[in-house]
Amino acid sequence: MSSGATAATRAEYCVVACAEAWRDAGEVLASPMGTIPMIGARLAKLTFSPDLLLTDGEALLIGDVPAVGAEAEVVEGWLPYRQHLALVATGRRHVMMGAGQLDRYGNQNISCIGDWARPKRQLLGVRGAPINTLNNPTSYWVPRHSPRVFVERVDMVSGVGYDRAAAAGPSASRYHRIPEVISDLGVFDFETPDRTMRLRSLHPGVTVEQVAEATGFALTVPDEVPYTREPTAEELRLIREVVDPQGLREREVPA
């Protein structure tokens, strides 16, 4: 970062971490869910993943990279719902979903909190999570890392984790992949022998102890945990001036 640039905020480290999920992805559809993942996908398109496909959030494939909330000026194609589902089923998509709950194996819950027969809270519902997790890479974004989200056991399985995919057999595990989980505290993956969650990097200013305290299960923690990489000066310019000039990222992850 140039000496004259303002230091990156926690939100901007999160943006870069999300963008890295699509590094060198090729010509696949990025489906970011959430403000910071959306900024991250657009940053990836503008930098190291120029072939990434983006949508306007409805049914158009866009050729330019507008600021969040602005209309695209270049339309490259039409992506109606049936074609979108075909992309999902053939693996040509990398979605970054949210999660009401996540467990150590990457099982995700966006349906309800509490017992299924009488839940305490109703969430979104299962939606497309099962087919996402079994047919195309599915990462997760959690803007507030806490033991309420990172739980020992999810109350309802929406997105399929590594243990359940393995138990279901090759038809479920063949294309199943959870590349990353990104939160406001760090980056996580499942690159362990038993496919349980591992701490891969800490955002600057965060400690291993803070992450452990905010997680409801025992994480795999390497002997040395690196920090999430710093945004370059050009990446900060693109984030602040091109993709998110309104500073929406700072509302999702306050300084």
Side-chain angles (χ1 to χ4, degrees), residues 87-110:
L87 277 173
V88 174
T90 54
R92 294 174 291 169
R93 175 183 185 238
H94 183 169
V95 60
M96 187 172 289
M97 300 184 72
Q101 292 178 327
L102 274 173
D103 69 19
R104 68 176 72 238
Y105 292 100
N107 293 291
Q108 170 230 35
N109 175 21
I110 53 171

Side-chain angles (χ1 to χ4, degrees), residues 22 27-33 79 84-97 128-129 131-133 135-138 177:
W22 287 287
E27 195 174 351
V28 301
L29 180 67
S31 294
M33 300 181 185
L79 191 67
H84 189 96
L85 290 177
L87 277 173
V88 174
T90 54
R92 294 174 291 169
R93 175 183 185 238
H94 183 169
V95 60
M96 187 172 289
M97 300 184 72
I131 194 171
N132 286 345
T133 47
N135 289 279
N136 54 237
T138 303
R177 187 161 72 91

Side-chain angles (χ1 to χ4, degrees), residues 104-143:
R104 68 176 72 238
Y105 292 100
N107 293 291
Q108 170 230 35
N109 175 21
I110 53 171
S111 185
C112 65
I113 302 299
D115 184 79
W116 170 256
R118 196 175 181 84
K120 298 176 182 176
R121 296 286 186 274
Q122 176 66 52
L123 305 180
L124 292 173
V126 174
R127 308 295 289 268
I131 194 171
N132 286 345
T133 47
L134 296 187
N135 289 279
N136 54 237
T138 303
S139 295
Y140 294 108
W141 160 244
V142 179

Side-chain angles (χ1 to χ4, degrees), residues 137-238:
T138 303
S139 295
Y140 294 108
W141 160 244
V142 179
R144 292 176 180 81
H145 193 126
S146 78
R148 296 178 63 181
V149 178
F150 290 81
V151 296
E152 183 66 38
R153 183 181 178 88
V154 297
D155 294 336
M156 163 73 185
V157 176
S158 303
V160 180
Y162 279 100
D163 58 339
R164 288 177 177 269
S171 63
S173 60
R174 183 178 181 185
Y175 300 113
H176 178 268
R177 187 161 72 91
I178 307 174
E180 296 181 355
V181 175
I182 299 156
S183 81
D184 60 333
L185 298 184
V187 180
F188 309 82
D189 61 26
F190 299 87
E191 300 300 319
T192 56
D194 59 355
R195 289 297 199 177
T196 55
M197 196 179 295
R198 177 184 73 157
L199 175 60
R200 195 168 82 192
S201 73
L202 293 164
H203 300 328
V206 179
T207 66
V208 171
E209 290 73 22
Q210 282 178 294
V211 173
E213 185 177 348
T215 306
F217 52 84
L219 284 163
T220 296
V221 180
D223 293 336
E224 295 186 9
V225 182
Y227 285 114
T228 304
R229 80 164 178 86
E230 186 177 27
T232 66
E234 176 61 9
E235 286 172 334
L236 283 179
R237 185 191 70 80
L238 290 169

Side-chain angles (χ1 to χ4, degrees), residues 1 6-15 203-204 231 236 240 249-250 253-255:
M1 189 184 301
T6 305
T9 64
R10 177 74 61 82
E12 289 163 343
Y13 276 97
C14 292
V15 167
H203 300 328
L236 283 179
R240 295 171 180 178
R249 62 195 180 279
E250 304 297 338
V253 177

